[in-house]
Amino acid sequence: MKAIHYDAIILGAGAAGLSAAIYLSRAKLKTLIINEGSIGGQMVLTHAIANYPGVLETSGRDISLIMKKQAKEFGADIESNVEITKLVLSDKEKLVEIDDDETFTADAVILATGGKPRKLGIPSESKFKGFGISYCATCDGDFYAGKDIVVVGGGNSALEEAVSLTKLVKSITIVHQFDNFQAHEYAIEQAKKNDKISFIMESEITEIIGKEDVTGIKVQNQKTNKEQIIKTDGVFIYIGYIPNTDKFKDVIKVNNRNEILTDENMKTNIDGVYAAGDVREKKFRQITTAVSDGTIAALNAIEYIQTTKK
Amino acid sequence: MLQTNLKHIQSEDEFNQIIENNENVMICCGRMGPMCIPVYDAMESLEDKYENVKFYDLDFDTPHAHIIRNHELAKRFMGLPFTFYYKNGQAVKATTSIQTKKQIKTILDEYLI
Ligand SMILES: Cc1cc2nc3c(=O)[nH]c(=O)nc-3n(C[C@H](O)[C@H](O)[C@H](O)COP(=O)(O)OP(=O)(O)OC[C@H]3O[C@@H](n4cnc5c(N)ncnc54)[C@H](O)[C@@H]3O)c2cc1C
């Protein structure tokens, strides 16, 4: 089948990718978004967004749908929930194949593939997903009413979700690998003053125990190497995000955490390839910063496309 | 009602008719939450490819969702959504929590051919 050519292809339909699509298609460039997951990316994981300027409070789903609508109305095409089966970025004409089936080419590509939740990396983790292991307190909290649970992590998500779970559960043990928390002061204070929460610091989970359902965890102290077993009915995991760069990190320059290195124009090491959003090396990962990256990447891509076409 | 583009099951009678009158049915029973939305999205994107399967959602918090909530296969489930696959009126497979499109396709290809 013949490849369909676009001026620009954006990989990822989160806040960064959708913003880039709005700018590119509004500049009348033929634009395609190819997205491997759900439209909205991490925004969809957020029930209430209260810090997006100009919007009092909204759900991540609603804001995603509006961004998608804007991109589509300006003329962008979207292929979502597909799998990228081939990707060529280093040639002048970039190529993306999806589902071993359709091929698209473009003058410029914007990598806006964001991040995915970090896993514990213990073999039994996926076996127990939905049977005692959860990544979403608001989704699954009900199932643990009156039970003893563990929350893993020490950032804002871990502490805030732990505090919200105390309304339902009997007790919470927070297991964190460092001796201090990475969360904001307010979140730490709320967790510390809650009677239902206790802490095991400088420790990592080495095993999830259970036959069919989770019954406990094995925790190892990082300093003393001493192990202890904690009885629990469930484990909620909030240990941060890792960038989605597996498909191109061999050709695109990344740092030791696999985050893409760009200049201030969002340009990567390859001509015509830009990166935007959480997938980049940067300090603050928010919807506003993703939107800003997407805008800058798109405006620079527009300039690049127009110059190379002359 | 769930805000998806899938067809919604709105009563127990409707559920019974759907699984009686269709050979292959996939039902995702959940809420509009972060673990459920990706499953609805994946189902929407599979509707055209799997013409032999009927795709539905079911609001977890409606009374008639007990058909799935209390189903034997969901007895140990602790994560939303509960996703059920029916062949000739029988539940042949069920999953708990988020599933990728790839995982869903594998189940459809194995159980609802
Ligand atoms: C629970 C939670 C709550 C948050 N709350 C807030 C908040 O209140 N306010 C705020 O400002 N920020 C918040 N954030 C952070 C914010 O959501 C992110 O910084 C922002 O959404 C990142 O957008 P992105 O477009 O860079 O990446 P993502 O949202 O990760 O989007 C990337 C998209 O690319 C897709 N993809 C992945 N790999 C590929 C590939 N190879 N090819 C094509 N597509 C691919 C993914 O499926 C996804 O759809 C929160 C994050 C989380 C997880």
Side-chain angles (χ1 to χ4, degrees):
Chain A
M1 204 191 285
K2 203 173 168 290
I4 302 171
H5 189 77
Y6 281 83
D7 293 315
I9 292 178
I10 300 159
L11 302 190
L18 290 167
S19 305
I22 291 169
Y23 275 81
L24 280 155
S25 50
R26 201 155 181 243
K28 300 271 175 282
L29 293 187
K30 200 174 168 213
T31 305
L32 171 68
I33 305 184
I34 296 177
N35 188 51
E36 284 202 334
S38 278
I39 302 266
Q42 290 174 61
M43 288 192 290
V44 168
L45 304 180
T46 316
H47 279 276
I49 294 167
N51 56 1
Y52 193 75
V55 182
L56 277 181
E57 185 166 311
T58 184
S59 75
R61 164 102 172 150
D62 286 350
I63 210 166
S64 306
L65 291 179
I66 294 172
M67 285 188 192
K68 175 185 167 189
K69 192 164 182 263
Q70 283 175 297
K72 286 196 96 163
E73 282 182 359
F74 287 128
D77 293 330
I78 302 181
E79 291 281 351
S80 193
N81 252 303
V82 294
E83 193 193 351
I84 293 176
T85 41
K86 190 174 173 191
L87 183 61
V88 180
L89 295 175
S90 29
D91 294 353
K92 187 160 184 286
E93 186 174 72
K94 323 295 177 199
L95 180 145
V96 190
E97 180 195 78
I98 60 170
D99 294 337
D100 288 315
D101 187 22
E102 283 175 279
T103 309
F104 304 97
T105 53
D107 301 324
V109 166
I110 296 177
L111 304 170
T113 50
K116 57 174 177 247
R118 187 188 296 280
K119 301 248 163 98
L120 287 175
I122 304 173
S124 47
E125 189 175 354
S126 57
K127 173 183 149 192
F128 287 123
K129 188 181 79 172
F131 296 99
I133 296 264
S134 172
Y135 303 90
C136 177
T138 36
C139 309
D140 304 336
D142 300 3
F143 300 115
Y144 296 88
K147 299 194 171 180
D148 300 307
I149 61 156
V150 165
V151 170
V152 194
N156 284 323
S157 299
L159 299 194
E160 283 166 10
E161 298 291 10
V163 170
S164 83
L165 280 164
T166 55
K167 290 179 201 130
L168 295 163
V169 303
K170 193 163 114 205
S171 80
I172 297 182
T173 307
I174 294 184
V175 177
H176 184 41
Q177 66 179 144
F178 302 119
D179 62 358
N180 63 321
F181 292 109
Q182 283 64 55
H184 297 141
E185 257 329 297
Y186 179 75
I188 299 171
E189 196 187 298
Q190 293 298 305
K192 281 191 172 162
K193 74 175 191 201
N194 195 305
D195 289 344
K196 285 191 180 175
I197 301 181
S198 59
F199 302 91
I200 299 181
M201 304 299 282
E202 292 181 90
S203 299
E204 277 187 14
I205 297 185
T206 52
E207 198 182 323
I208 295 160
I209 304 163
K211 219 169 167 201
E212 287 184 319
D213 308 315
V214 172
T215 55
I217 52 165
K218 204 181 263 180
V219 178
Q220 185 175 47
N221 184 290
Q222 298 301 288
K223 263 195 180 150
T224 60
N225 283 340
K226 241 177 101 181
E227 280 192 326
Q228 60 172 313
I229 288 174
I230 298 174
K231 275 193 180 169
T232 186
D233 300 304
V235 183
F236 284 76
I237 301 171
Y238 296 100
I239 50 174
Y241 275 69
I242 50 172
N244 288 315
T245 45
D246 288 352
K247 293 234 155 104
F248 43 75
K249 66 174 191 255
D250 299 342
V251 290
I252 297 289
K253 257 198 196 141
V254 292
N255 64 13
N256 59 4
R257 292 186 300 276
N258 289 326
E259 298 156 351
I260 300 175
L261 300 170
T262 65
D263 65 13
E264 61 179 19
N265 294 320
M266 308 297 143
K267 197 177 166 315
T268 68
N269 59 306
I270 296 181
D271 277 349
V273 181
Y274 300 82
D278 282 15
V279 75
R280 285 177 61 228
E281 177 185 67
K282 63 177 180 178
K283 191 166 168 194
F284 298 114
R285 291 190 163 77
Q286 286 288 286
I287 299 169
T288 46
T289 59
V291 166
S292 161
D293 286 0
T295 307
I296 296 168
L299 293 175
N300 282 297
I302 293 167
E303 234 174 63
Y304 171 84
I305 294 162
Q306 285 167 347
T307 320
T308 48
K309 276 202 169 145
K310 269 186 194 154
Chain B
M1 208 187 326
L2 298 168
Q3 297 112 48
T4 75
N5 293 322
L6 293 165
K7 290 183 273 312
H8 317 295
I9 298 180
Q10 307 209 51
S11 69
E12 191 161 346
D13 274 355
E14 194 187 350
F15 166 84
N16 289 329
Q17 277 181 24
I18 289 165
I19 63 159
E20 258 169 44
N21 300 334
N22 295 287
E23 189 184 345
N24 300 307
V25 180
M26 175 179 178
I27 302 171
C28 183
C29 180
R31 297 181 177 134
M32 286 315 287
M35 297 291 127
C36 304
I37 292 168
V39 179
Y40 306 137
D41 284 353
M43 289 168 74
E44 283 173 20
S45 73
L46 289 168
E47 273 190 313
D48 287 345
K49 200 162 172 220
Y50 288 84
E51 284 174 353
N52 62 324
V53 180
K54 299 282 179 223
F55 294 87
Y56 289 89
D57 66 35
L58 174 52
D59 186 336
F60 193 82
D61 297 310
T62 52
H64 53 277
H66 79 89
I67 321 153
I68 280 186
R69 275 199 314 257
N70 301 328
H71 195 284
E72 180 66 17
L73 289 179
K75 223 169 56 191
R76 293 174 36 244
F77 285 4
M78 304 275 269
L80 285 182
F82 294 2
T83 308
F84 271 64
Y85 300 81
Y86 292 87
K87 179 126 198 124
N88 299 322
Q90 294 299 315
V92 287
K93 175 82 184 165
T95 61
T96 171
S97 193
I98 191 170
Q99 303 288 314
T100 62
K101 184 170 160 183
K102 214 173 185 174
Q103 288 170 319
I104 294 170
K105 273 168 80 174
T106 307
I107 296 172
L108 291 174
D109 292 340
E110 190 178 340
Y111 293 91
L112 303 192
I113 28 165

